[in-house]
Amino acid sequence: MSEHANKVVIVTGGASGIGRQTVKEFVIQGAKVALADLNRAAGEEYATELRDAGHDVLFLYADVSKEADCENLIRTVVEHFGRLDVLVNNVGIEISTPIHEMPLNEWEKMQAVNVTSVFLNTKHALRVFLEQGGGTIVNVCSVSGLVAWPNIAAYNATKGGVLMLTKSIAIDYAKHNIRCNCVCPSIVDTPFTNASIGAENLEAIKKEKAKLNPIGRLGTPEDVANAILFLASDKASFITGSALTVDGGYTAI
Ligand SMILES: NC(=O)c1ccc[n+]([C@@H]2O[C@H](COP(=O)([O-])OP(=O)(O)OC[C@H]3O[C@@H](n4cnc5c(N)ncnc54)[C@H](O)[C@@H]3O)[C@@H](O)[C@H]2O)c1
């Protein structure tokens, strides 16, 4: 029996990149997975592909920056699968406007999508976990929650928020058999990274960025998904409030 067999898992942003791979790793281990995403076409297509391969997967449209969507997401998953065991708060966006030029609405959007979403999904999941007698949360943070990455101050600030929210949830709910951890990747090869670099000289720039990691390559979605599955598993039962770097040694320097 695999570690996650029959567990009910929500992965936000499950249609692309790290979230997409996380959904895959969970279903391979026999979990029942709800993937939530703003991208309805990609999410539905991926859920259908996984169902056709025999996995128990549900796609749910959600804009996780909106409370009604988060509440509906958690409620629908519990109605459909009967419980909730793991919440992976993975959604994140990056807007790299310099601070002195950043309009307030861009700052607010970053906060809403990257931090408020973690608060909202967690708030509604905790109510289920408290009733059930336990559960676990893994947040996808970033090395930029630990050390500042140049030219993305607003993003760094959101990831700092995710880190502190992770630790706070961990200590406040530990007595209720609820764990909360986060993973902190350095650059991972995903559509997010491609969009942030831009099309010109993409591969050459990625090669340069890979050199920032002592291991000498970019992270893969698998690297991060494996860490998420470990933190969500019973093998991590004494781990809560931790920020696991998945960064090829980037923050060890
Ligand atoms: N890629 C990297 O280099 C890297 C490094 C460190 C941390 N991270 C973090 O990892 C997480 C995933 O990043 P990724 O690279 O896989 O990104 P990605 O852009 O490939 O995937 C993100 C997914 O989230 C969805 N999404 C965006 N806004 C949403 C919203 N409001 N509601 C619901 N879904 C929404 C998108 O449609 C997309 O499917 C993010 O939190 C990001 O900050 C990424």
Side-chain angles (χ1 to χ4, degrees):
M1 235 3 191
S2 83
E3 184 69 38
H4 292 291
N6 294 318
K7 284 204 186 150
V8 177
V9 179
I10 293 177
V11 180
T12 71
S16 173
I18 293 166
R20 188 178 177 93
Q21 190 64 33
T22 303
V23 170
K24 188 169 176 190
E25 302 293 342
F26 270 117
V27 296
I28 286 171
Q29 291 210 14
K32 302 168 186 190
V33 180
L35 76 94
D37 209 287
L38 201 53
N39 187 336
R40 196 187 288 274
E44 270 173 357
E45 192 185 335
Y46 189 37
T48 304
E49 180 190 317
L50 293 171
R51 271 197 303 271
D52 289 348
H55 302 298
D56 200 350
V57 177
L58 180 69
F59 168 73
L60 291 166
Y61 172 87
D63 176 348
V64 293
S65 65
K66 300 208 165 87
E67 179 153 25
D69 285 21
C70 295
E71 194 174 359
N72 179 57
L73 168 65
I74 308 289
R75 191 184 50 244
T76 308
V77 168
V78 173
E79 276 168 14
H80 184 84
F81 290 117
R83 57 181 291 112
L84 175 64
D85 299 295
V86 180
L87 168 65
V88 181
N89 284 309
N90 163 71
V91 165
I93 56 166
E94 181 189 302
I95 304 173
S96 55
T97 315
I99 288 275
H100 71 283
E101 290 173 353
M102 182 171 264
L104 180 59
N105 66 337
E106 280 190 3
W107 169 269
E108 286 173 343
K109 177 156 191 189
M110 296 279 298
Q111 290 291 329
V113 177
N114 291 11
V115 192
T116 307
S117 66
V118 177
F119 156 68
L120 291 173
N121 277 318
T122 299
K123 168 180 165 179
H124 293 283
L126 282 173
R127 293 174 179 186
V128 178
F129 291 165
L130 287 169
E131 214 178 295
Q132 274 179 190
T136 184
I137 300 167
V138 182
N139 296 323
V140 180
C141 188
S142 167
V143 289
S144 75
L146 303 168
V147 293
W149 191 271
N151 304 319
I152 49 166
Y155 180 81
N156 296 338
T158 66
K159 293 301 186 179
V162 171
L163 177 71
M164 226 12 94
L165 203 44
T166 300
K167 289 176 185 283
S168 304
I169 294 159
I171 61 169
D172 290 348
Y173 292 90
K175 59 180 171 295
H176 298 289
N177 192 30
I178 296 167
R179 296 185 301 108
C180 183
N181 292 287
C182 67
V183 290
C184 297
S186 56
I187 300 179
V188 182
D189 199 352
T190 70
F192 172 104
T193 294
N194 293 347
S196 137
I197 293 173
E200 212 175 313
N201 300 323
L202 177 65
E203 291 310 318
I205 294 171
K206 282 208 260 193
K207 252 189 190 160
E208 277 311 301
K209 294 211 181 267
K211 291 181 190 160
L212 297 170
N213 300 328
I215 281 182
R217 65 169 176 86
L218 295 184
T220 64
E222 289 88 344
D223 291 324
V224 186
N226 287 336
I228 292 170
L229 264 77
F230 165 67
L231 288 172
S233 77
D234 291 344
K235 287 183 179 145
S237 64
F238 195 54
I239 302 177
T240 199
S242 80
L244 178 57
T245 54
V246 187
D247 68 353
Y250 178 81
T251 50
I253 299 171

